[in-house]
Amino acid sequence: MGFDQYHEPPQELSQEVRTFARMMASLIEEAEAINWYEQRMSVEKDKKAKAIMANAQKEEFKHFGMNLEFLLRRKKEWREELKGILFTQGDIVKLGEKAEKAVD
């Protein structure tokens, strides 16, 4: 069974890089699950079923956040850049450009 998160031979990658790849794959999977629940909830007519889906989506969002935090603790420059974008007010694009310049 192959693992498509690797673009280089896994045996040549350090344990740290393999863990990073796993966490990135998990982050992507959680984002996909959040999206799938969002789509399902948008068309679901049964309120009880929709409530269960919303609860499940909330769990996926928590997992997404945990994966992201794990990665940000390993990539300090990512954390610094995101500090200028997340949980702020204003034009997102301008904030992103300013944050990018601040870490260069």
Side-chain angles (χ1 to χ4, degrees):
M1 172 193 257
F3 294 94
D4 60 358
Q5 74 256 35
Y6 299 122
H7 291 276
E8 299 296 331
Q11 66 276 13
E12 293 181 24
L13 301 173
S14 68
Q15 181 60 47
E16 181 180 334
V17 170
R18 290 193 309 266
T19 296
F20 182 85
R22 288 184 200 105
M23 294 304 289
M24 287 296 293
S26 292
L27 184 75
I28 292 164
E29 290 163 359
E30 298 300 343
E32 288 176 336
I34 292 165
N35 178 37
W36 296 335
Y37 280 118
E38 192 70 20
Q39 292 179 43
R40 290 173 189 155
M41 290 184 301
S42 76
V43 297
E44 182 54 58
K45 304 292 187 237
D46 186 297
K47 289 182 181 181
K48 290 181 181 178
K50 192 172 184 175
I52 292 168
M53 291 176 201
N55 182 272
Q57 185 190 45
K58 190 175 179 183
E59 284 293 310
E60 302 298 350
F61 192 69
K62 177 185 76 175
H63 299 155
F64 178 88
M66 291 165 54
N67 280 289
L68 180 60
E69 180 62 22
F70 179 92
L71 292 165
L72 292 176
R73 289 181 183 187
R74 301 289 189 289
K75 297 289 188 178
K76 303 297 184 194
E77 65 276 9
W78 291 7
R79 178 178 294 285
E80 287 305 310
E81 189 162 337
L82 290 183
K83 280 181 183 179
I85 303 167
L86 299 176
F87 311 110
T88 61
Q89 298 294 315
D91 184 280
I92 296 170
V93 174
K94 289 179 182 175
L95 289 167
E97 289 171 354
K98 182 178 176 183
E100 183 178 32
K101 289 177 184 174
V103 296
D104 280 342

